[in-house]
Amino acid sequence: MMEIWNKLHTRHEAIGERPILALFEDAGRAQAFTIRTQDMAFDYAKTNIDADTRADLIALAESAGVAEKRDAMFRGEKINDTEGRAVLHTALRNRDDAPVLVDGQDVMPAIRATLKRMADFSDEIRASEITDVVNIGIGGSDLGPAMAVAALAPYHDGPRCHFVSNVDGAHIADTLRGLDAKTTLVIVASKTFTTIETMTNARTARAWMVDHGGDPATQFAALSTAEDKTAAFGIDAARVFGFEDWVGGRYSVWGPIGLSLMIAIGPKGFNAFLDGAHAMDTHFRAAEPLENMPMMLALVGIWHNQICGHATRAVLPYDERLSLLPDYFQQLEMESNGKRVQMDGTASPRDTGPVVWGAAGTNGQHAFYQLIHQGTRVIPCEFMVAANGHEPELAHHHHLLIANCLAQSEALMQGRSLAQARKIMQEKGLTGEELERQAQHRVFVGNRPSTTLVYDRLDPYILGQIIALYEHRVFVEGVILGINSFDQWGVELGKELATSLQPVVEGTQGTEGKDSSTAALVEYLINLRDK
């Protein structure tokens, strides 16, 4: 495997500053570097990956055993070996009749039973006087359903959904303000029912409901496996929906964590969401590497990050309803592949996960695109755009949106030469040194890579496909890097220290044992609070 890594680095050095545009001298490039599946296409032609480089990247994936690890994941083997767990979020959306085994037991009957309970509960809520649903969670228990509910707004025909995650009291206060406690359902999402941010917000919501005439006994539900704790909180067992430890938080929107989404769009829409994800699972398992969308998306990422050294990646959906998608992918990738050691406990010999960020277009064009186009660092961009919008009467808006998306990727690749910039300034009447100075400011180096994901219309099925596509992309990258994408020890230390600091901040315990900076900050904050 090391030989292939070295070969790829050598290829990168040989390519140097070769213009991406030069690769389009091959009239068949766009076709050869686009993968299509159903009503979706992934174009990676606007990168400097050529056929030979792609072959080496595929060889890298094969040498890392991606296919074998993929099949082991779908079989229910315990590939999360730092925690001794299977990785089976795919089972939550499995639409086949075949069993899925964990420790010799078929998990599908229990999954189907839970989905049936969710559907019955959703129908009950949608037919009731409930007007608003407040989902209280954090991390994967918040970002997934919040993103999906926002994305599928045209399909909402149930109660309004709101999401609270931050322990900052402003979040819960601003969300509850204006809601009717008598017609609000609160969903508390915490696998262990001990997550401090979630439980703090849940207790505040319960107190609010009691104070304003609601009934927590009938207006609270829980997404948790800790039935003893949910019972102690006063939530009826019939309103508790659990999930197994082989479903990680950031991969959990397909099951009970997606209850708010099911309430918003109905069980039929939620089933279409699962169907889309299952279709991508099937494609990922069956397609050869060259035609495998998650595989090639991952290999493009490996090329840009580990080989070219581009440390960040911008996710740029030209779809306002996908505004939360960059945040969702940020957690998915950075919590999964932000690791410093390999599976065997040794330090990774190379950088691992990239910094993922972004925003919806066209807003970003008037913010950070300046840096993407003319900054000193190359930032690979991942564009997304739908062929059709949901507002036919505003089709001209959508046409302009698509034009902007395609123009940005084209501009990143083509750039603008100094000669072209000089001509522009000459036409404005400038001459001499001032012409030269002004022209320099209008040069775009270009040769900046991007990919584009095109889909028909953002509906539940398509959204399921997109999320599953990126989940599998993260998996492939993790396997190639030799890391465990399914644990998250990095979130633990800060949580532990926060617990020990709380009594210090409250003033019931001194700052002994704390470093001088932390002690001084605590003292300053207490003085500001108490003055």
Side-chain angles (χ1 to χ4, degrees):
M1 189 172 179
M2 183 58 68
E3 181 181 347
I4 303 175
W5 280 112
N6 292 337
K7 190 175 181 181
L8 284 164
H9 282 291
T10 301
R11 282 200 183 281
H12 178 242
E13 292 170 5
I15 288 171
E17 296 300 316
R18 178 185 65 188
I20 297 171
L21 267 174
L23 295 171
F24 283 85
E25 293 173 3
D26 175 1
R29 178 168 175 82
Q31 180 74 20
F33 286 77
T34 298
I35 298 174
R36 293 172 175 82
T37 173
Q38 298 183 331
D39 292 328
M40 186 178 292
F42 170 60
D43 178 306
Y44 60 104
K46 293 186 182 75
T47 70
N48 63 0
I49 297 172
D50 57 21
D52 291 336
T53 302
R54 181 173 61 185
D56 288 342
L57 287 166
I58 291 173
L60 181 69
E62 291 172 345
S63 68
V66 168
E68 293 81 3
K69 204 68 172 282
R70 173 198 63 201
D71 295 344
M73 176 177 71
F74 279 95
R75 283 196 301 268
E77 295 182 18
K78 296 179 180 180
I79 65 169
N80 176 358
D81 68 356
T82 59
E83 297 180 295
R85 295 174 180 173
V87 175
L88 275 178
H89 49 281
T90 54
L92 299 179
R93 62 212 191 201
N94 177 37
R95 316 304 273 173
D96 293 336
D97 294 329
V100 178
L101 304 179
V102 176
D103 294 327
Q105 298 294 315
D106 183 8
V107 301
M108 289 311 304
I111 289 173
R112 294 188 186 102
T114 298
L115 285 171
K116 176 64 165 58
R117 287 184 60 226
M118 289 171 59
D120 291 345
F121 182 72
S122 294
D123 285 339
E124 175 190 334
I125 295 300
R126 286 160 58 85
S128 74
E129 295 182 356
I130 293 295
T131 58
D132 295 89
V133 175
V134 177
N135 185 95
I136 298 177
I138 198 166
S141 299
D142 169 78
L143 264 176
M147 176 275 297
V149 165
L152 298 177
Y155 299 89
H156 292 191
D157 56 3
R160 296 180 294 268
C161 290
H162 315 269
F163 295 86
V164 174
S165 56
N166 201 327
V167 76
D168 185 343
H171 201 181
I172 187 77
D174 288 349
T175 301
L176 297 181
R177 187 179 296 115
L179 298 187
D180 185 344
K182 297 176 183 178
T183 61
T184 297
L185 172 73
V186 176
I187 300 174
V188 184
S190 171
K191 184 183 288 189
T192 63
F193 226 64
T194 58
T195 309
I196 189 167
E197 298 94 339
T198 300
M199 299 316 301
T200 300
N201 281 321
R203 286 188 286 270
T204 297
R206 183 173 60 181
W208 165 81
M209 187 171 284
V210 170
D211 290 345
H212 292 80
D215 180 12
T218 60
Q219 291 174 242
F220 264 68
L223 314 178
S224 176
T225 56
E227 293 184 6
D228 56 335
K229 293 182 174 64
T230 58
F233 196 85
I235 300 176
D236 190 295
R239 292 170 170 257
V240 178
F241 303 87
F243 49 102
E244 301 297 333
D245 63 6
W246 32 258
V247 179
R250 57 194 175 276
Y251 297 91
S252 61
V253 70
W254 315 104
I257 292 297
L259 181 61
S260 55
L261 175 63
M262 184 183 281
I263 292 172
I265 66 174
K268 182 178 179 181
F270 193 82
N271 283 336
F273 177 62
L274 300 182
D275 288 342
H278 178 66
M280 185 56 67
D281 292 344
T282 302
H283 167 79
F284 179 48
R285 297 178 75 177
E288 293 299 318
L290 197 60
E291 298 300 325
N292 194 305
M293 197 175 287
M295 182 78 77
M296 292 313 304
L297 179 60
L299 292 176
V300 171
I302 290 287
W303 172 255
H304 286 152
N305 186 13
Q306 280 72 31
I307 304 301
C308 300
H310 306 321
T312 81
R313 159 188 309 161
V315 177
L316 307 169
Y318 275 66
D319 196 318
E320 179 62 24
R321 294 186 175 108
L322 288 178
S323 293
L324 288 176
L325 194 67
D327 290 355
Y328 179 75
F329 285 162
Q330 185 176 75
Q331 185 204 25
L332 177 65
E333 178 119 11
M334 294 174 71
E335 192 166 89
S336 295
N337 290 347
K339 311 292 169 60
R340 56 172 291 275
V341 296
Q342 300 178 106
M343 292 289 244
D344 61 5
T346 60
S348 173
R350 56 187 55 84
D351 290 332
T352 54
V355 175
V356 178
W357 59 286
T362 59
N363 289 0
Q365 293 176 200
H366 298 268
F368 54 80
Y369 276 47
Q370 168 62 45
L371 183 144
I372 291 177
H373 279 288
Q374 289 188 308
T376 57
R377 296 177 177 88
V378 175
I379 299 170
C381 295
E382 298 183 353
F383 295 96
M384 299 181 187
V385 69
N388 298 290
H390 286 279
E391 293 76 26
E393 71 280 8
L394 299 176
H396 60 293
H397 281 254
H398 198 72
H399 296 160
L400 181 58
L401 182 76
I402 293 174
N404 271 274
C405 178
L406 299 182
Q408 290 298 322
S409 64
E410 186 178 30
L412 284 168
M413 176 178 66
Q414 290 186 353
R416 177 191 288 157
S417 69
L418 180 57
Q420 291 170 321
R422 284 191 183 115
K423 184 177 180 181
I424 292 172
M425 291 299 96
Q426 285 171 346
E427 291 172 352
K428 291 181 178 292
L430 272 64
T431 60
E433 292 183 2
E434 183 61 12
L435 181 150
E436 193 66 23
R437 184 178 75 86
Q438 291 286 355
Q440 289 289 351
H441 285 280
R442 289 158 175 78
V443 170
F444 291 71
V445 175
N447 206 34
R448 302 204 165 188
S450 69
T451 63
T452 304
L453 184 71
V454 176
Y455 46 92
D456 180 3
R457 177 182 281 109
L458 187 62
D459 60 17
Y461 188 87
I462 289 289
L463 182 64
Q465 284 188 298
I466 292 172
I467 298 173
L469 167 64
Y470 272 77
E471 284 180 348
H472 293 320
R473 182 254 195 96
V474 168
F475 166 80
V476 172
E477 289 181 346
V479 173
I480 290 173
L481 295 171
I483 58 179
N484 184 0
S485 299
F486 302 104
D487 61 15
Q488 55 278 332
W489 303 111
V491 306
E492 298 298 324
L493 180 58
K495 289 165 61 175
E496 293 168 7
L497 292 176
T499 300
S500 69
L501 267 168
Q502 186 173 352
V504 179
V505 173
E506 291 171 344
T508 60
Q509 184 175 311
T511 58
E512 295 81 7
K514 296 298 178 183
D515 64 88
S516 59
S517 172
T518 302
L521 288 168
V522 168
E523 181 179 354
Y524 186 66
L525 286 163
I526 290 176
N527 288 339
L528 286 174
R529 182 184 67 202
D530 295 343
K531 74 174 184 178

